Amino acid sequence: MRLMSEAVQARLQQTFPMHRLVWLKTSDSTHLEGARLWRSEAASWVVVADSQSAGRGRYGRSWESAPGVNIYLSLVWQNPFGRELGLLNLFWGVVVWQSLLAVFPSLNERLTLKWPNDVYVERRKLAGILMQNLDAELKQTLVGIGINVYARQDQIPPTATSLLQELPPHILGDEARVKIVEELLHRLHSPGLTACCEDPQQLREKFWQAAARCRRQTYAYQGVSPVEGTLHGLYDDGTVDILSEQGGLVHLCM
Ligand code: BTN
């Protein structure tokens, strides 16, 4: 299944002239490619690949990147949150969570955003986001988004899921990857999310709503040391308190 036909690529480039869209059949990592492109020219690059040979995850982990089935996308983004890394991370989680729900509203009851920006379907991870600063002032960031779309269960970790596992075939369709990428780019320029960049309170409210399931159910979080618990509180800077299974509050920050 091809990620983007040339006609779709041309249409998207026309719709989003502010970005420089690059479509790759294979890449080591769209994140590495995005950083290379940025060093060669400081433009608003969006790099999408059909496969990655060295996909990267957070905390130095790798990201399973089976060919031809998922979304591997990195984009250069002007960061309005400055050094507030907590807010930056919440923002991208909300963008991906909202985009997936916009394309597949029937996921509504099961999709959740787990702090800081992992998207889960119930207990399993569907999408992850990786951030990298491109300058010392954190003005430009590279945002890497991995979304499991058509992956079979044996192509992703046991703790992960894909849209293929979660949706009936007639709902998922053949064009899910194009639809999601298009929705992500549209959403990024939508008034609702632009408002979140200017008003962090709106962003915190959207995150709190998206993370509703994590307030009721226990999830594992990566802090200074790993902790399992429920989401208990959200601070102005986007950091959170987790109520651990032992009953204590653990403050998590980026
Ligand atoms: C995480 O660990 O949750 C973050 C995963 C981020 C994966 C994406 S796939 C596109 C981009 N390229 C990479 O090598 N990683 C990110």
Side-chain angles (χ1 to χ4, degrees):
M1 201 175 310
R2 203 144 56 111
L3 175 51
M4 296 276 169
S5 67
E6 273 168 26
V8 173
Q9 291 179 21
R11 176 168 57 77
L12 285 186
Q13 184 61 81
Q14 223 173 20
T15 315
F16 301 102
M18 65 296 263
H19 296 297
R20 293 269 289 277
L21 306 182
V22 177
W23 314 99
L24 302 171
K25 183 83 196 124
T26 58
S27 170
D28 49 358
S29 150
T30 56
H31 227 56
L32 293 174
E33 188 60 32
R36 285 193 290 262
L37 286 167
W38 170 258
R39 281 195 297 273
S40 72
E41 189 186 338
S44 181
W45 298 100
V46 178
V47 185
V48 188
D50 210 24
S51 74
Q52 299 188 122
S53 55
R56 298 175 155 200
R58 287 210 308 274
Y59 310 112
R61 296 185 190 129
S62 58
W63 183 258
E64 294 290 333
S65 305
V69 287
N70 295 332
I71 292 171
Y72 313 112
L73 178 153
S74 294
L75 60 86
V76 173
W77 192 64
Q78 206 168 344
N79 165 23
F81 301 109
R83 300 199 173 272
E84 298 283 6
L85 287 185
L87 295 178
L88 175 66
N89 275 282
L90 297 195
F91 176 84
W92 278 97
V94 168
V95 172
V96 174
W97 181 82
Q98 284 191 348
S99 301
L100 286 165
L101 263 191
V103 180
F104 297 112
S106 64
L107 284 175
N108 186 31
E109 293 297 310
R110 298 186 296 142
L111 203 68
T112 195
L113 184 52
K114 179 171 102 56
W115 187 90
N117 52 27
D118 289 334
V119 179
Y120 273 61
V121 180
E122 294 172 1
R123 313 298 300 171
R124 293 191 293 163
K125 181 160 161 170
L126 179 70
I129 301 171
L130 180 67
M131 300 285 180
Q132 182 186 329
N133 309 323
L134 291 171
D135 57 51
E137 293 81 39
L138 274 63
K139 286 200 175 124
Q140 303 285 343
T141 49
L142 189 60
V143 184
I145 302 171
I147 305 174
N148 299 328
V149 181
Y150 295 109
R152 301 184 312 263
Q153 195 60 52
D154 64 337
Q155 293 176 305
I156 46 178
T159 50
T161 191
S162 69
L163 292 172
L164 181 75
Q165 322 294 315
E166 305 293 343
L167 292 169
H170 70 281
I171 299 282
L172 181 59
D174 288 344
E175 298 288 324
R177 292 191 295 170
V178 175
K179 286 186 188 162
I180 295 166
V181 170
E182 196 162 7
E183 179 63 35
L184 265 171
L185 293 175
H186 272 299
R187 200 148 281 268
L188 207 48
H189 299 284
S190 70
L193 278 169
T194 312
C196 282
C197 297
E198 280 144 27
D199 177 7
Q201 183 54 27
Q202 281 196 40
L203 172 59
R204 286 187 290 268
E205 281 165 14
K206 286 192 180 5
F207 170 80
W208 197 245
Q209 180 203 351
R213 179 179 281 269
C214 295
R215 304 205 294 274
R216 299 188 301 266
Q217 280 189 354
T218 297
Y219 283 87
Y221 293 86
Q222 187 83 32
V224 176
S225 49
V227 56
E228 288 194 18
T230 50
L231 177 64
H232 186 75
L234 173 64
Y235 291 87
D236 284 356
D237 61 0
T239 62
V240 290
D241 275 339
I242 302 300
L243 180 60
S244 77
E245 291 201 301
Q246 290 72 34
L249 284 185
V250 179
H251 185 226
L252 297 182
C253 38
M254 289 310 296

